[in-house]
Amino acid sequence: MIDLTLDIEQYDCPYIATTDDHDLAFSTLNWEFDRTAAKLETRMVVDGGDRATLDRGLGTLREHDQIHEYDLVAKRDGVARIRSTIPTTNAMGVIRDHDGYVTGPFHIESGSERWQVGFDGEGAAGAALSALEADNEFTVETREEVGLPEMGGYVQSVGAAMALVDGYRDLSETERETLEAAVDSGYFDRPRSADLGALADEFDVSKPAVSNTLRRGQERVLSRVVDALDDLDNERPESPN
């Protein structure tokens, strides 16, 4: 496996275009690629530093012609969480055409994007980089050949991460929205900046109802956290005697 870290400027990426005009940073939480529709759905954290900068940047992003779908999931001070859908960019298409795959989160800031992508061999990696040069500016920051022993640790980490992702997917829509609102409002802060009454008012339900929803959501997520920790512990090599 050839693992590459790229600093890339995509001229057809709405997120990069937005950071050209505004002092924002985008980081992916998760993404799903729809092969049939050739579109990418992402959930991102957007950091604008302050509320005014964030609002201006999100306004620009919403109006970009490459944004097909946009939802503001949550916003607090200068940070937001969004869900958005874009068509396949040129660079994304090149990576996929050469059987490449994403190996880490995206981070977008100051007009460029940091990608972590992998290929099964040198030939595919070299061909992809050559094709990328036609329509994109990029720098290869790191290039690493990952052998089978190293991949064992990589797979272990990915397995644990997927256990956490599955915990998120296990949540009902109401549980997910309630947990997100609790985090964003400061319910889990110490000291708390929001209480059950505030959450109940936001969802127009009783305090016992919102409390039960929070408890169910926490139980689902924490069970997956325990599973992930068990996966890591079970795969960790034993210390020599």
Side-chain angles (χ1 to χ4, degrees):
M1 171 183 169
I2 307 301
D3 193 51
L4 303 175
T5 301
L6 305 178
D7 188 327
I8 186 168
E9 298 178 33
Q10 298 186 77
Y11 302 120
D12 55 352
C13 175
Y15 311 114
I16 289 179
T18 300
T19 66
D20 273 330
D21 298 330
H22 303 278
D23 190 16
L24 295 181
F26 295 88
S27 298
T28 53
L29 293 173
N30 55 62
W31 57 273
E32 296 180 17
F33 187 80
D34 185 332
R35 289 177 177 269
T36 303
K39 64 181 183 180
L40 182 75
E41 178 181 308
T42 60
R43 286 172 172 78
M44 291 185 169
V45 171
V46 190
D47 189 350
D50 59 71
R51 187 66 172 261
T53 301
L54 178 68
D55 288 343
R56 288 194 297 269
L58 292 180
T60 297
L61 181 69
R62 283 196 306 271
E63 298 302 318
H64 197 285
D65 58 9
Q66 291 292 87
I67 292 291
H68 288 185
E69 298 176 40
Y70 172 92
D71 289 310
L72 177 62
V73 178
K75 181 169 64 173
R76 184 180 182 190
D77 299 327
V79 180
R81 191 162 63 250
I82 66 170
R83 184 193 69 83
S84 55
T85 302
I86 65 172
T88 305
T89 63
N90 172 271
M92 192 187 307
V94 168
I95 297 298
R96 296 189 64 82
D97 288 346
H98 291 81
D99 297 324
Y101 37 88
V102 174
T103 60
F106 304 153
H107 182 77
I108 307 165
E109 191 171 6
S110 302
S112 67
E113 182 171 4
R114 194 170 188 269
W115 277 15
Q116 292 174 262
V117 295
F119 299 89
D120 289 333
E122 286 281 1
L129 293 178
S130 296
L132 277 176
E133 290 178 346
D135 296 292
N136 303 276
E137 297 287 337
F138 67 92
T139 301
V140 179
E141 293 189 343
T142 65
R143 182 188 187 108
E144 183 179 2
E145 183 171 358
V146 182
L148 286 176
E150 294 88 351
M151 288 183 73
Y154 173 79
V155 170
Q156 167 193 339
S157 299
V158 170
M162 288 307 300
L164 297 179
V165 171
D166 287 341
Y168 180 83
R169 290 173 175 165
D170 285 345
L171 297 172
S172 69
E173 183 176 355
T174 300
E175 290 166 350
R176 183 174 66 251
E177 289 177 351
T178 304
L179 279 174
E180 289 174 348
V183 171
D184 292 332
S185 65
Y187 176 80
F188 295 111
D189 293 348
R190 291 293 181 270
R192 285 177 173 167
S193 51
D195 58 17
L196 280 177
L199 292 174
D201 290 343
E202 180 171 345
F203 292 97
D204 194 23
V205 296
S206 66
K207 288 183 182 181
V210 79
S211 177
N212 288 336
T213 301
L214 273 177
R215 187 177 65 254
R216 288 196 307 270
Q218 289 175 273
E219 288 173 351
R220 291 179 191 273
V221 172
L222 287 174
S223 68
R224 289 295 187 171
V225 170
V226 172
D227 289 343
L229 292 174
D230 285 344
D231 288 343
L232 291 174
D233 286 340
N234 291 337
E235 295 296 331
R236 185 175 295 141
E238 295 183 2
S239 300
N241 294 328

